[in-house]
């Protein structure tokens, strides 16, 4: 895999990713307030998004024209996106990969810089907004 400098626009993007993130945030807001108060929302969202994306077809684009086409294709998958995200929430509540509850102990940090990983993820999500649609 070729590393792309973080200040460059990615050469390829999955058109489903921003839709899955959006749907995950929407469903998270619909959780009961008591449950929301006991969760670590960032961790829940990360796991739910990964779960859903792993169960949906990849719709990658390498150009603005391809992005527009793949976004159109992705819209047709809205019902599957909603279902995959719903299943992701159920799976994470049952058996989270990392602690998502506020009373759960924090995992030991890995050797790599966790803050840098978070910053890279934020830049990646923000880069979806830079595509001319």
């Amino acid at each position: 895999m070729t590393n792309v400098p973080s200040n460059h626009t990615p050469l390829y993007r999955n058109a489903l990713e921003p839709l899955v993130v959006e749907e995950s945030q929407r469903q998270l807001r619909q959780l009961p307030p008591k449950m929301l108060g006991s969760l670590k929302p960032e961790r829940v969202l990360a796991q739910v998004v990964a779960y859903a994306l792993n169960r949906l077809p990849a719709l990658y684009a390498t150009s603005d024209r391809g992005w527009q086409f793949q976004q159109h294709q992705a819209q047709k998958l809205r019902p599957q996106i909603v279902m995959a995200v719903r299943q992701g929430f159920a799976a994470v509540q049952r058996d989270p990969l990392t602690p998502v509850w506020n009373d759960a102990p924090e995992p030991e940090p890995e050797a790599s810089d966790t803050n840098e990983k978070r910053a890279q993820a934020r830049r990646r999500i923000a880069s979806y907004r830079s595509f001319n649609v």
Side-chain angles (χ1 to χ4, degrees):
M1 178 175 357
T2 304
N3 287 334
V4 177
S6 61
N7 59 348
H8 290 27
T9 301
L11 301 174
Y12 48 87
R13 296 185 185 162
N14 184 348
L16 280 180
E17 191 167 336
L19 298 177
V20 169
V21 169
E22 178 185 297
E23 179 61 25
S24 298
Q25 290 170 336
R26 186 187 72 75
Q27 288 189 31
L28 181 70
R29 287 190 302 269
Q30 292 180 341
L31 292 177
K34 188 174 181 178
M35 181 182 282
L36 272 174
S38 63
L39 292 174
K40 297 176 182 174
E42 284 184 8
R43 289 183 186 241
V44 171
L45 282 175
Q47 290 184 43
V48 168
V49 168
Y51 181 97
L53 286 171
N54 283 331
R55 283 150 182 85
L56 293 165
L59 296 177
Y60 282 93
T62 59
S63 67
D64 286 341
R65 184 175 175 208
W67 179 256
Q68 290 173 355
F69 176 80
Q70 293 295 49
Q71 284 287 290
H72 179 72
Q73 296 301 109
Q75 293 301 326
K76 297 176 185 177
L77 296 175
R78 280 283 185 183
Q80 291 92 328
I81 293 169
V82 170
M83 183 59 68
V85 169
R86 187 175 299 137
Q87 292 169 346
F89 274 103
V92 168
Q93 288 174 354
R94 251 188 341 267
D95 187 21
L97 297 173
T98 58
V100 296
W101 303 101
N102 282 329
D103 60 351
E106 291 291 322
E108 291 296 318
E110 296 179 11
S112 60
D113 184 6
T114 305
N115 289 332
E116 178 57 25
K117 285 183 179 180
R118 287 182 182 146
Q120 287 174 350
R122 281 190 213 102
R123 285 191 299 269
R124 184 170 179 215
I125 290 171
S127 73
Y128 284 109
R129 296 181 189 118
S130 70
F131 251 126
N132 297 326
V133 180

